[in-house]
Amino acid sequence: MEGAVENQSPSQRNYVLRALERFAEYGDREAIVGRGRRLTYADLAAGVLSVAAALRANGVRSGMAVGVLVAHPPEAPTLQLAMHLIGSRSVWIDPAALRREVDDYLRLVPPDVLIYDPSTHEEQAAQLGARLGVPLLCLGAGGQGPNLLTPQPDAPSIADLLGADEPQSVFQTSGTTGVPKSVHHRQALYRQLDVLAQELLDAGERNVHHLTQTPLWHPAGQISALLYLFSGGLLVIMEKFDVGEFCATIERERVSSVFISPPMLYQLLDHPALDGADLSSLNLLSVGSSAAAPDRLRQGVARFGPILRITYGLSECPFISALPGVGDEPEHPQRLRSCGKPYGDVRVEIRGETGSVLGTGQVGEVWVASRMNFAGYWGQPELTAETLVDGWLRTRDLGYVDADGYLHLVGRVQDTIITGPGSRCIYPRPIEDVLVTHPKVRAAAVIGVPDTELGEAVHAFVVPDPDATVTAGELTELVRQELTPVWVPHRIQFVDSLPLTGIGKVNTKALRARYAAEHGAAADPIGTSV
């Protein structure tokens, strides 16, 4: 590569240049499958340069903030790399968020232009563009702005396209609080992905066929997509999780790797389509985004073998720990409740309320140090200062490290339930795990609710098997026997399903809203509700 490209030092060099070098090596190998389209690495590389030229032709410059409203188009990785090649800051918008949440987020990171997928977000983009008062650009034909996928005549050279500013990304997240957070990642995250990709290649993990349902506006979806593209794999994109189509896609594309959330795993295990499915190509089934019940993991191992891998990460640090080969160590059943050991360069400490490091087995907040830690919350300096302390990330997750170095999570700081006359702290995860051990229970989620006598009471939402005869009394007695009376749910509410977020997590914010709408401020005695 010529000119300005060659003159960049390794510490300044835009990571997209290295990605393009890798794509050139992979050539005509298939890179992305989605929406009936199949893109080779040559297509991907050419697309990055063409979209970068289209961005420049439509006024997007180095250092500008570019709002992106898409879900799963196969051109999303192309767009990401093109934006970063020219040095712009990608601002990823959650399409499923409430209007108020999107507006609050974009007040923190106001975009100079909005790019959207006209096949899925036409009306939403038109309204958002009008509120923002910014130009609209389209990732595809038929929209209200220029189509960035139109081939560009006389495309500039890479050196001419390369922006002077560092490529950066901002992601929208609100967790369970509803307060928007603007997760800002600098180029270090993407450079580290290149390191991890090389480790995969060195380990012989070549030409991995990875199936993703995680939307590419979320760090988890984007990071896994780029990791497998950097290592020369095939990225298979599924726009909506459907067990039948999921199984058919694995069989058709000979998928070897998938990432799903625990609720998706439960749906897969419970679906009749699984019995006739050929999933023999799978050799890695990663489960993450939230805690998985040990009993359901055992079912997964019984069905698929020891190919399950538990993963733990956050938008602020996508890779924290992993437990590969779940079920390979039957002499250590307690490890099914863990999320493994720290991954790569990650260091983990468990700290108390004063910030002091706690000992083995003591529950406290999980703190993380890694090169993949985010740079801060864009436009939120106070929140950044509270979360990034001396190079350490406060995850707001509660957990402990056992004597063998395995990390165990018990809940979120804000999900801690303080209950009873002694103000005892208890956590949702152990209760959920016990509830799911009942053979007639498919899934469970626990929240704390206001109670005039206890302060907070345990409220459990339980998804039973269809036509199951399980009762609230059976389940409360099960918790009483496995834990202690203080952990027993004050009320068990039977539901058909648990609401999920856009990336497949149980939406506890929606459960709290449901409880408030149905029950008001005070908790009722033990009972059932459908």
Side-chain angles (χ1 to χ4, degrees):
M1 294 184 182
E2 71 280 11
V5 176
E6 292 180 341
N7 292 333
Q8 286 191 320
S9 70
S11 62
Q12 297 172 325
R13 192 173 192 250
N14 190 310
Y15 81 93
V16 181
L17 300 178
R18 175 59 179 147
L20 291 173
E21 291 171 353
R22 287 191 179 276
F23 298 164
E25 294 172 8
Y26 305 144
D28 290 331
R29 186 188 303 174
E30 284 196 324
I32 301 174
V33 174
R35 292 189 182 175
R37 298 196 287 279
R38 309 186 77 91
L39 306 177
T40 67
Y41 277 95
D43 295 331
L44 179 58
V48 170
L49 299 182
S50 179
V51 172
L55 289 168
R56 290 281 295 271
N58 285 281
V60 180
R61 296 291 181 266
S62 180
M64 289 178 61
V66 181
V68 186
L69 185 65
V70 302
H72 300 82
E75 294 83 9
T78 303
L79 174 63
Q80 163 76 340
L81 295 169
M83 290 187 293
H84 279 180
L85 178 64
I86 67 174
S88 62
R89 184 173 68 254
S90 53
V91 178
W92 297 88
I93 301 165
D94 178 356
L98 299 175
R99 170 176 169 168
R100 170 185 54 80
E101 293 173 337
V102 172
D103 288 348
D104 288 347
Y105 166 65
L106 294 179
R107 273 192 285 271
L108 297 170
V109 278
D112 299 299
V113 63
L114 177 65
I115 297 174
Y116 75 99
D117 182 348
S119 68
T120 54
H121 297 98
E122 178 69 33
E123 182 177 351
Q124 189 177 3
Q127 295 173 356
L128 182 56
R131 297 201 302 274
L132 293 170
V134 299
L136 298 179
L137 299 175
C138 298
L139 194 66
Q144 298 185 38
N147 177 9
L148 296 174
L149 300 182
T150 301
Q152 296 297 298
D154 303 322
S157 67
I158 294 177
D160 290 336
L161 289 170
L162 187 64
D165 293 273
E166 178 187 5
Q168 302 174 69
S169 292
V170 183
F171 299 92
Q172 179 181 355
T173 180
S174 61
T176 59
T177 64
V179 177
K181 293 186 292 185
S182 48
V183 176
H184 171 212
H185 278 285
R186 305 184 75 97
Q187 176 164 237
L189 172 66
Y190 301 101
R191 284 185 176 146
Q192 188 63 14
L193 283 182
D194 184 67
V195 173
L196 297 178
Q198 190 58 51
E199 291 178 359
L200 287 177
L201 292 170
D202 292 343
E205 296 186 40
R206 300 169 182 270
N207 200 25
V208 174
H209 289 201
H210 179 72
L211 173 61
T212 181
Q213 309 85 39
T214 309
L216 298 178
W217 54 260
H218 190 277
Q222 186 179 117
I223 297 311
S224 63
L226 292 179
L227 174 62
Y228 286 104
L229 290 175
F230 289 177
S231 58
L234 174 66
L235 182 68
V236 182
I237 299 175
M238 237 184 110
E239 300 203 42
K240 183 179 180 181
F241 183 73
D242 173 84
V243 173
E245 181 58 27
F246 178 81
C247 293
T249 302
I250 291 175
E251 183 172 349
R252 182 178 64 252
E253 299 295 340
R254 303 307 296 161
V255 169
S256 53
S257 166
V258 299
F259 175 86
I260 57 178
S261 68
M264 292 175 181
L265 174 65
Y266 306 163
Q267 290 179 44
L268 177 62
L269 291 171
D270 296 334
H271 202 282
L274 183 60
D275 292 336
D278 177 9
L279 306 186
S280 58
S281 61
L282 269 184
N283 55 43
L284 181 61
L285 200 167
S286 296
V287 181
S289 81
S290 60
D295 265 41
R296 306 245 60 186
L297 289 172
R298 292 186 186 97
Q299 293 173 27
V301 173
R303 176 59 180 81
F304 302 111
I307 66 169
L308 271 70
R309 178 180 66 176
I310 298 170
T311 65
Y312 168 50
L314 304 171
S315 295
E316 292 85 348
C317 183
F319 297 137
I320 295 177
S321 67
L323 178 65
V326 172
D328 253 352
E329 300 179 281
E331 68 275 18
H332 298 291
Q334 74 281 0
R335 289 181 185 166
L336 284 178
R337 299 182 185 274
S338 84
C339 49
K341 292 185 175 182
Y343 186 92
D345 76 322
V346 173
R347 290 178 291 152
V348 170
E349 290 183 351
I350 307 298
R351 301 192 188 185
E353 293 182 2
T354 63
S356 59
V357 179
L358 302 180
T360 299
Q362 291 184 286
V363 173
E365 185 177 351
V366 180
W367 291 53
V368 171
S370 169
R371 286 191 293 270
M372 299 190 82
N373 278 0
F374 78 137
Y377 297 107
W378 192 280
Q380 297 173 293
E382 293 182 0
L383 183 58
T384 298
E386 293 171 4
T387 307
L388 286 176
V389 181
D390 297 329
W392 288 82
L393 163 65
R394 298 185 61 178
T395 67
R396 311 294 180 182
D397 283 328
L398 292 170
Y400 65 92
V401 175
D402 66 22
D404 297 316
Y406 288 80
L407 176 63
H408 299 249
L409 300 181
V410 298
R412 296 283 288 167
V413 170
Q414 66 266 27
D415 292 338
T416 301
I417 302 168
I418 303 174
T419 187
S423 297
R424 174 75 180 274
C425 292
I426 62 175
Y427 314 105
R429 170 79 190 276
I431 305 172
E432 293 166 352
D433 286 350
V434 170
L435 291 170
V436 177
T437 63
H438 193 288
K440 297 297 183 181
V441 170
R442 290 189 169 184
V446 167
I447 62 171
V449 299
D451 183 83
T452 54
E453 294 183 4
L454 300 174
E456 282 188 293
V458 177
H459 186 94
F461 293 89
V462 172
V463 180
D465 279 346
D467 303 320
T469 56
V470 60
T471 67
E474 287 178 63
L475 297 179
T476 55
E477 184 58 29
L478 183 63
V479 176
R480 190 186 312 276
Q481 291 176 2
E482 293 293 325
L483 301 173
T484 65
V486 73
W487 296 76
V488 172
H490 194 60
R491 179 184 177 90
I492 289 178
Q493 184 171 352
F494 292 105
V495 295
D496 293 332
S497 62
L498 298 175
L500 304 181
T501 67
I503 60 167
K505 289 184 179 182
V506 173
N507 191 334
T508 54
K509 183 172 63 174
L511 290 177
R512 290 190 179 92
R514 174 172 178 166
Y515 176 86
E518 293 178 351
H519 303 288
D524 296 327
I526 282 289
T528 62
S529 176
V530 176

